[in-house]
Amino acid sequence: EAGVAQSPRYKIIEKRQSVAFWCNPISGHATLYWYQQILGQGPKLLIQFQNNGVVDDSQLPKDRFSAERLKGVDSTLKIQPAKLEDSAVYLCASSPWTSGSSTYEQYFGPGTRLTVT
Amino acid sequence: AQSVTQLDSQVPVFEEAPVELRCNYSSSVSVYLFWYVQYPNQGLQLLLKYLSGSTLVKGINGFEAEFNKSQTSFHLRKPSVHISDTAEYFCAVSALTGGGNKLTFGTGTQLKVEL
């Protein structure tokens, strides 16, 4: 079974530029998550999708971050404009979990390391 | 809301020695508990999880953890570590109900195994 795919693996941009990350979850997984992992910290949830609807985006800085999951499969996360403090690893995870189910494991992709200079 | 505290940011240990990585959590509701491992430049891999039942759970690579509800702890242990266990370890919790299966992570413990 193929795992969660993310691209690019690394990205270096200057502040105020824009950047986009792509995630392809495990086939059939209804729920997709984007996490931000700043150096020395644990991952922090940015946004959660169930199929193509947003479940939780309470920690997404909506003035500069946006995300979508068209057709309930692939997802993109965009930052525009980027700030220095956005330097982090952006992790995508997927899960077969749906509301009312008892399956809780999340499967993580390799992440995209973003450096903002 | 939930929170996770990993008491040690770094744990150095010699190869073949035992190790314990500590994790305490805080939550107003019942939770599921997880340990993930992250190797350099890789994503997170699930080591083990506690959902219900026996409080001692066994995971991959010889790791085990014990859920202690009264102490609100979920410490990770391995009786004999190997060089290949060098990695970052994250404890995480998810609310049993109403949490949308969201994970709240601790800040991580860097395990460094030395010869």
Side-chain angles (χ1 to χ4, degrees):
Chain A
E1 176 180 78
V4 177
Q6 291 188 247
S7 67
R9 291 295 313 276
Y10 305 91
K11 190 74 176 178
I12 301 174
I13 62 172
E14 295 182 350
K15 60 184 179 183
R16 292 187 288 274
Q17 286 186 322
S18 63
V19 64
F21 313 127
W22 173 82
C23 173
N24 179 240
I26 293 173
S27 177
H29 281 193
T31 303
L32 185 148
Y33 311 81
W34 282 102
Y35 290 87
Q36 180 191 58
Q37 185 179 16
I38 294 172
L39 186 64
Q41 300 181 21
K44 182 187 80 171
L45 180 70
L46 291 175
I47 189 167
Q48 176 185 357
F49 293 94
Q50 182 176 324
N51 296 313
N52 60 353
V54 176
V55 175
D56 185 348
D57 63 358
S58 59
Q59 298 195 77
L60 188 72
K62 299 181 187 63
D63 58 332
R64 297 184 301 105
F65 286 64
S66 64
E68 60 182 7
R69 190 183 184 197
L70 298 176
K71 301 181 181 179
V73 182
D74 293 5
S75 177
T76 56
L77 176 69
K78 296 179 181 177
I79 307 175
Q80 182 179 11
K83 293 185 175 182
L84 295 176
E85 58 260 37
D86 298 331
S87 293
V89 175
Y90 292 84
L91 295 165
C92 178
S94 72
S95 170
W97 180 85
T98 57
S99 302
S101 78
S102 60
T103 305
Y104 281 78
E105 183 165 350
Q106 294 184 25
Y107 299 82
F108 285 81
T112 296
R113 182 178 298 276
L114 174 67
T115 302
V116 182
T117 62
Chain B
Q2 296 79 44
S3 66
V4 177
T5 301
Q6 292 185 244
L7 299 166
D8 306 297
S9 59
Q10 293 186 38
V11 174
V13 62
F14 288 109
E15 193 174 35
E16 297 184 7
V19 69
E20 178 180 83
L21 306 184
R22 297 180 292 170
C23 172
N24 288 87
Y25 69 92
S26 173
S27 177
S28 57
V29 300
S30 296
V31 296
Y32 295 132
L33 295 151
F34 306 82
W35 276 99
Y36 282 85
V37 60
Q38 186 175 35
Y39 298 101
N41 299 317
Q42 294 186 29
L44 279 73
Q45 179 184 7
L46 182 67
L47 270 180
L48 48 79
K49 59 187 175 186
Y50 173 78
L51 304 183
S52 64
S54 172
T55 57
L56 182 64
V57 293
K58 295 187 182 299
I60 62 172
N61 301 339
F63 284 93
E64 64 181 31
E66 186 158 17
F67 170 55
N68 187 320
K69 189 174 182 178
S70 62
Q71 301 282 337
T72 60
S73 68
F74 190 54
H75 300 334
L76 181 70
R77 302 185 183 100
K78 186 170 183 178
S80 176
V81 296
H82 189 267
I83 285 286
S84 60
D85 293 323
T86 295
E88 187 93 22
Y89 292 79
F90 292 94
C91 182
V93 301
S94 175
L96 203 68
T97 58
N101 199 39
K102 292 176 292 186
L103 289 172
T104 299
F105 286 89
T107 52
T109 297
Q110 177 67 45
L111 175 64
K112 185 174 182 181
V113 181
E114 303 168 351
L115 292 172

